[in-house]
Amino acid sequence: MVENIIGAGRQVLAEYGYEGASTSRIAAEAGISPGSLYQYFPHKDAIVLAALERYSDTLVSHVTTRMSGQFAQPAPVIVRTTVAALLDGLDVEPPLLRAVVEDGPRLDDGRTLRAFEQRIGELVLAYLTTRRQDLRPDTPLDTAVWMLVRTVEHLTVRYLLDRPPIPRDRFTEELTRLVLNYLRPPP
């Protein structure tokens, strides 16, 4: 039942946004009465937060799966793979992505987003640690991870929400180049 309600919350959030979502709409989407919904969740925000956490978990799992076994690959390959995985994972439900970006931080003070960034950052740190000899020696790894995760995240989200007239392959290549140039030691 909890999964059913969270899934319904996700659908309603994607369709109506946070302001248009209500426990009545979520209950109707889940095929249950509002009274039944309240047995599992005390209010709309609890359902929305559960849906956002599930969305984040699914995205991290998707990116992790795509990165698994890639650490032996050269930097251009793993960066391109990671950017493509993030694009694919975020582009599944654009209306939900918009709701997550616009409404998520105010609901939980950004905790879900920070948890997502932390988990992705751990993957990036693991990769950069294995390639330390190939990186700029003047940037601490924790700084590089923070910069990279937020740059890739922000540009990818803006690309998907703004839908600029840039082909996806071109965007992936340009973002890969940006990341690689940041990491590259000076000649």
Side-chain angles (χ1 to χ4, degrees), residues 18-19 45 49 100-110:
Y18 176 77
E19 296 303 326
D45 287 357
L49 285 173
V100 166
V101 169
E102 292 173 357
D103 301 313
R106 82 179 142 110
L107 289 176
D108 70 352
D109 198 29

Side-chain angles (χ1 to χ4, degrees), residues 110-155:
R111 284 188 306 273
T112 302
L113 177 60
R114 285 191 303 276
F116 167 77
E117 291 167 344
Q118 175 68 32
R119 291 165 67 192
I120 295 299
E122 289 167 1
L123 289 171
V124 173
L125 178 60
Y127 179 74
L128 293 181
T129 299
T130 67
R131 298 299 183 141
R132 186 64 177 136
Q133 72 281 359
D134 301 328
L135 307 176
R136 287 178 26 210
D138 64 327
T139 302
L141 287 182
D142 59 337
T143 300
V145 168
W146 192 92
M147 297 289 292
L148 291 170
V149 168
R150 279 138 191 94
T151 298
V152 171
E153 171 193 21
H154 180 76
L155 289 173

Side-chain angles (χ1 to χ4, degrees), residues 49-104:
L49 285 173
L52 296 181
E53 288 170 2
R54 188 69 40 85
Y55 180 76
S56 176
D57 290 346
T58 301
L59 184 57
V60 168
S61 177
H62 177 75
V63 172
T64 301
T65 299
R66 292 276 296 270
M67 286 180 73
S68 293
Q70 297 290 318
F71 279 25
Q73 296 293 326
V77 173
I78 196 158
V79 171
R80 197 173 297 109
T81 298
T82 303
V83 169
L86 193 57
L87 281 168
D88 292 345
L90 289 171
D91 202 21
V92 172
E93 294 177 84
L96 182 60
L97 175 61
R98 183 168 302 283
V100 166
V101 169
E102 292 173 357
D103 301 313

Side-chain angles (χ1 to χ4, degrees), residues 12-26 44 48 103 106:
V12 169
L13 187 61
E15 189 172 343
Y16 297 99
Y18 176 77
E19 296 303 326
S22 67
T23 53
S24 297
R25 280 189 168 141
I26 295 168
K44 172 178 86 169
V48 171
D103 301 313
R106 82 179 142 110

